[in-house]
Amino acid sequence: MNGNMAVSRRSASPLLKRMWARKYCYFMLIPVAAYFLIFCYVPMWGLLISFQNYKVFKGIWGSEWVGLQNFSDFVHGRQFAQVIANTLILNLQSLCFTFPAPILFALLLNELRSRAFCKTVQTITYMPHFISTVVVVSMMHMLLSPTNGVINQMLMKLGNKPIYFMNKAEYFRPLSIISGLWQGTGWNSIIYLAAISGINPVYYEAATIDGANWWQKMWRITVPCIRSTILIMLILRMGQMMNSDFEKVMLMQTSGNKSVSQLLSTYVYERGVLNSDYGYATAVSFFNSLVSLALILISNGISKKLAGEALW
């Protein structure tokens, strides 16, 4: 036993020495670790509310335990199918357009020969990311206003009647996706540009000697070399399929488009904050998290089996 303890001390000593040698790196990690501990892990004990008929004045330990009743009420509720369908349709459509757009944009930027022009384009396309969502939706209301909006002014000059775009259910998803493309394409392309910059130039030089054109270089060299980055970003995006930009959706939501804009996030807000049904809202949010976890596990497994690359 004493021998085992001595071996343990000897093995621990080099570890402690290495940690002490990198002590400043660990000190820099303290704020990040504290953030996730305080705001992500500690609040998880509040998931107990999802199994209760929670009353604020009784607290968690004084409220009535109802087991899986809140989950059952949500799954068998009349809004379950609509909310799930709206969330999945919006996110699937958004995935089809907003996920490949930054990749294509990064590939096109990489083909620019003028570095000055490339930097200018990058700066211009990054700027919308820093505009507040409130401002973006306000701009949409101004441009699409049925009275003095630029789009409707053009329609009226062409002899058409003005359209209240923001209040029409059929325009909610296209407007949400288009605004997301405008705001996020440039910013999201940064990670792909970083991956492209790490490709060995020798590959391109060899392809040039072999007579390859720019399209062949991009398709045969650039895309395969950033495949792992694309797969990782896709897996992470799949984990967000049940989530949405709550702030933008709430600001765009009206009585006219609520049939398609009522998503899981807005439904949780409505039941939890507006109706004070905290146990039910927590159960819906917990359900959302479980589905997101399942999606990211499934996508990670598929990627690992088919492409041999995954997050873990």
Side-chain angles (χ1 to χ4, degrees), residues 211-228:
N213 56 33
W214 69 270
W215 171 258
Q216 291 170 327
K217 292 177 186 177
M218 183 176 67
W219 187 247
R220 300 294 182 181
I221 298 175
T222 308
V223 173
C225 287
I226 65 171
R227 186 184 66 170
S228 59

Side-chain angles (χ1 to χ4, degrees), residues 106 110 189-200 204 222 225-230:
N110 186 58
S189 67
I190 293 176
I191 189 167
Y192 300 109
L193 287 169
I196 291 172
S197 65
I199 300 174
N200 195 333
Y204 295 104
T222 308
C225 287
I226 65 171
R227 186 184 66 170
S228 59
T229 303
I230 295 173

Side-chain angles (χ1 to χ4, degrees), residues 260-282:
V260 297
S261 64
Q262 182 72 304
L263 311 183
L264 272 171
S265 56
T266 58
Y267 185 60
V268 169
Y269 170 79
E270 183 179 294
R271 291 299 298 263
V273 178
L274 300 184
N275 296 339
S276 301
D277 195 350
Y278 302 111
Y280 183 89
T282 305

Side-chain angles (χ1 to χ4, degrees), residues 3 8 13 31 41 75 91 180 191 226 243 252 312:
S8 178
S13 181
Y41 289 98
V75 173
N91 279 286
I191 189 167
I226 65 171
N243 299 319
M252 292 179 63
W312 62 86

Side-chain angles (χ1 to χ4, degrees), residues 231 235 298-312:
L231 287 174
I235 293 169
I298 293 171
S299 58
N300 187 79
I302 294 173
S303 176
K304 191 173 184 178
K305 185 174 182 180
L306 298 180
E309 297 178 0
L311 283 173
W312 62 86

Side-chain angles (χ1 to χ4, degrees), residues 98-110 118-119 121-130 181 183-199 226 229-230 233:
T98 60
F99 182 77
I103 303 172
L104 296 174
F105 185 67
L107 292 172
L108 292 174
L109 282 179
N110 186 58
C118 181
K119 295 295 182 184
V121 172
Q122 285 180 275
T123 302
I124 294 173
T125 54
Y126 293 169
M127 289 174 63
H129 173 77
F130 299 99
L181 282 169
Q183 196 173 15
T185 299
W187 180 259
N188 293 329
S189 67
I190 293 176
I191 189 167
Y192 300 109
L193 287 169
I196 291 172
S197 65
I199 300 174
I226 65 171
T229 303
I230 295 173
M233 296 303 295

